[in-house]
Amino acid sequence: MDIPMKVLVTCPLAKFEQVQGTLIAVSASGFYEMHIPFGVNTHTVLLPVAATVLTAREPLLAPPAGFEVER
């Protein structure tokens, strides 16, 4: 995972539902540090890891032809 990373944020505690943001850091204390745009300004927001879902905005590229998953 590359940081910073552009993500969609879902966090019911903050009433975020698929809000665009940028993941800046993951703290050892259990919080994501995010930059979230609000109007023309961008704010730093700390969100609890346990109650937050992050989805990468960029899709994964197709795996190379020789790629196999061990089962």
Side-chain angles (χ1 to χ4, degrees):
M1 174 172 63
D2 295 327
I3 292 180
M5 180 180 198
K6 295 186 183 293
V7 295
L8 297 173
V9 182
T10 301
C11 181
L13 294 173
K15 297 186 180 174
F16 289 163
E17 183 68 36
Q18 297 291 300
V19 173
Q20 291 190 15
T22 303
L23 174 63
I24 301 302
V26 181
S27 78
S29 301
F31 289 91
Y32 293 122
E33 180 181 345
M34 308 287 305
H35 285 178
I36 307 284
F38 290 100
V40 296
N41 297 318
T42 299
H43 295 270
T44 299
V45 179
L46 299 176
L47 298 171
V49 169
T52 305
V53 175
L54 302 180
T55 306
R57 283 197 263 170
E58 297 295 323
L60 291 176
L61 301 175
F67 181 78
E68 293 183 27
V69 176
E70 187 175 323
R71 296 177 191 205

